[in-house]
Amino acid sequence: MKKTLIAGAALATLAGAVQAQSSVTLYGLIDTGLTYTNSQITGTGAGGHSNWQMTSGGVQYSRWGLRGAEDLGGGLRAIFTLENGFNVNNGQLSSSNRIFNRLAYVGVSSRDFGSLTLGRQTDDMVDFLAPLSLTGTQYGGTHFAHPFDVDNLNDSFQINNSVKYQSPDFAGFKLGALYGFSNQAGGFANNRAYSVGMSYMWGPLNFGAGYLHLNNSARTPAQLNTNGAVTDTLGASVSGLLTPTAVPLGALASRQQTWGGGVNYAFGPLVAGFVYTQTNLTELFLTGFNTHFQNYEGNVRFALTPAVMLAAAYTYSRAGGNAGGGAPHWNQVSALANYAFSKRTDVYIQSTYQSVSARAGNPLGVAWINGVSSPASTSNQVEATVGLRHRF
């Protein structure tokens, strides 16, 4: 009897040790609010109308996910993440054909050598540069994005079929690289992607830079390689102004090259930042146009009290090349005030104003704030949202 008790205790101890070596965490974020937008066109394209609506993801996209790790010994772990985006107002998935539409990857992580993961993942513009822009943080988010989010700092699309490496921290330096396969026989470069990035943190200084490259051979939406690296239907897209489809703009150009850099500097409770990005698009579908977008963002956030955060950003954007004649440029001003009831629950009020100048007849000559369901009927648009956010 004594031996049985000892054996049972030993097995229980061993089971506890095994249990401690692996873990799975359920996490998520729910963001919903009431949004006012002026001058939205109707579904038939008729003139501008004010719109009062309940919205999901006014600052951060609502999502839930599973994150897991298993200790393999010697500082090595097996890791995975599965993350789903959804609309909290009606319970629908953000994507109709994906269960885990935001993230789905598995890999290994080493404290000495970094991590290597495979699946559907974010690119290095999102990982290294977006945190320096308010659109890539909890202090700005969806409506703060640069026009059409063409630089993807708001994480409007992710990379399928991707292999990704991220280094450990080397005295403040971090490096990353990603490659997304086209998965097409005879079309190795047809809808592929690759990206690199780096960051450096030293005291109050935080610097980051990234590069993203997309290739595509399609000349119409119907020819798009739907098993390739970029196939999302999320987010505002310039292509939506030209055709009914709404895939990311870079997926409908023969080549997209996006790069940028940014810096944040903390002065006690005040953090000031600057971000620059440029996106070059070669042979935009149906037009053959080449164009580029440049974004200059200055931002600031201030912790007024431990519970109250204020943030604001100004972005100047311009398009060039031969995209429809003229040289459209945008001025966008955004502001947010946030009150935290706890570490998990907060309320916010935020607003964005956008104005665009373009030659008459240019399809980019109407304002369209990111995250707003339809563009304005004029060159100006404003939105304001009061929202509630909860993390778990």
Side-chain angles (χ1 to χ4, degrees):
M1 180 68 177
K2 185 176 181 180
K3 290 182 179 179
T4 303
L5 290 174
I6 293 173
L11 287 173
T13 302
L14 179 61
V18 171
Q19 180 71 19
Q21 291 177 351
S22 62
S23 64
V24 176
T25 301
L26 172 67
Y27 69 93
L29 183 149
I30 303 171
D31 182 340
T32 188
L34 301 176
T35 298
Y36 165 80
T37 311
N38 76 324
S39 189
Q40 276 190 256
I41 63 171
T42 66
T44 60
H49 295 268
S50 297
N51 191 4
W52 293 88
Q53 58 186 319
M54 180 172 286
T55 53
S56 177
V59 174
Q60 293 177 279
Y61 297 121
S62 298
R63 82 282 305 258
W64 70 273
L66 298 169
R67 185 183 295 116
E70 180 188 11
D71 189 351
L72 303 177
L76 190 67
R77 298 188 306 158
I79 58 173
F80 77 87
T81 297
L82 302 171
E83 185 173 292
N84 162 265
F86 63 94
N87 186 323
V88 68
N89 299 332
N90 55 26
Q92 292 183 345
L93 300 178
S94 299
S95 173
S96 61
N97 59 350
R98 290 189 179 95
I99 298 176
F100 298 108
N101 47 56
R102 289 183 54 82
L103 295 171
Y105 65 81
V106 64
V108 292
S109 173
S110 165
R111 61 171 174 252
D112 296 321
F113 302 104
S115 63
L116 182 67
T117 50
L118 298 89
R120 177 173 168 84
Q121 305 176 81
T122 53
D123 65 78
D124 289 306
M125 291 289 290
V126 174
D127 293 340
F128 291 96
L129 186 55
L132 307 179
S133 167
L134 287 190
T135 185
T137 71
Q138 61 180 317
Y139 311 113
T142 306
H143 298 305
F144 281 42
H146 304 154
F148 311 110
D149 194 31
V150 72
D151 51 20
N152 200 36
L153 295 191
N154 191 236
D155 194 19
S156 291
F157 63 87
Q158 294 78 39
I159 309 298
N160 302 324
N161 318 321
S162 63
V163 179
K164 180 176 180 178
Y165 170 76
Q166 286 201 323
S167 77
D169 189 313
F170 297 112
F173 280 101
K174 287 186 178 181
L175 304 171
L178 172 145
Y179 188 89
F181 289 87
S182 71
N183 277 12
Q184 185 177 71
F188 184 78
N190 183 17
N191 196 3
R192 68 169 177 179
Y194 54 88
S195 179
V196 294
M198 61 83 65
S199 65
Y200 175 66
M201 294 186 67
W202 179 74
L205 176 69
N206 189 356
F207 171 80
Y211 174 78
L212 172 64
H213 186 110
L214 307 178
N215 282 108
N216 177 46
S217 300
R219 291 296 174 267
T220 70
Q223 295 173 336
L224 181 66
N225 173 18
T226 57
N227 294 316
V230 180
T231 55
D232 288 83
T233 57
L234 297 176
S237 168
V238 178
S239 61
L241 295 174
L242 305 175
T243 70
T245 190
V247 300
L249 186 58
L252 295 177
S254 64
R255 182 176 63 193
Q256 173 175 333
Q257 296 170 296
T258 297
W259 65 86
V263 62
N264 280 181
Y265 195 89
F267 303 88
L270 176 71
V271 179
F274 176 78
V275 170
Y276 169 81
T277 68
Q278 178 163 330
T279 296
N280 292 349
L281 299 167
T282 304
E283 295 182 359
L284 190 61
F285 82 107
L286 298 180
T287 67
F289 290 144
N290 302 327
T291 188
H292 65 263
F293 292 81
Q294 293 176 296
N295 299 290
Y296 305 81
E297 176 190 329
N299 60 67
V300 63
R301 63 181 189 266
F302 179 63
L304 185 63
T305 72
V308 178
M309 174 66 69
L310 306 176
Y314 166 74
T315 300
Y316 172 75
S317 306
R318 63 183 182 185
N322 60 350
H329 60 271
W330 294 260
N331 287 278
Q332 182 170 292
V333 179
S334 305
L336 174 143
N338 182 88
Y339 178 78
F341 292 109
S342 67
K343 291 183 178 180
R344 295 169 53 187
T345 303
D346 60 291
V347 292
Y348 64 84
I349 180 170
Q350 65 84 227
S351 183
T352 296
Y353 169 79
Q354 184 185 103
S355 175
V356 58
S357 298
R359 185 173 299 174
N362 191 303
L364 303 183
V366 294
W368 195 357
I369 296 170
N370 189 66
V372 172
S373 56
S374 60
S377 60
T378 67
S379 60
N380 300 285
Q381 190 173 57
V382 64
E383 67 77 31
T385 300
V386 177
L388 172 67
R389 184 168 43 180
H390 178 75
R391 305 162 184 83
F392 61 90

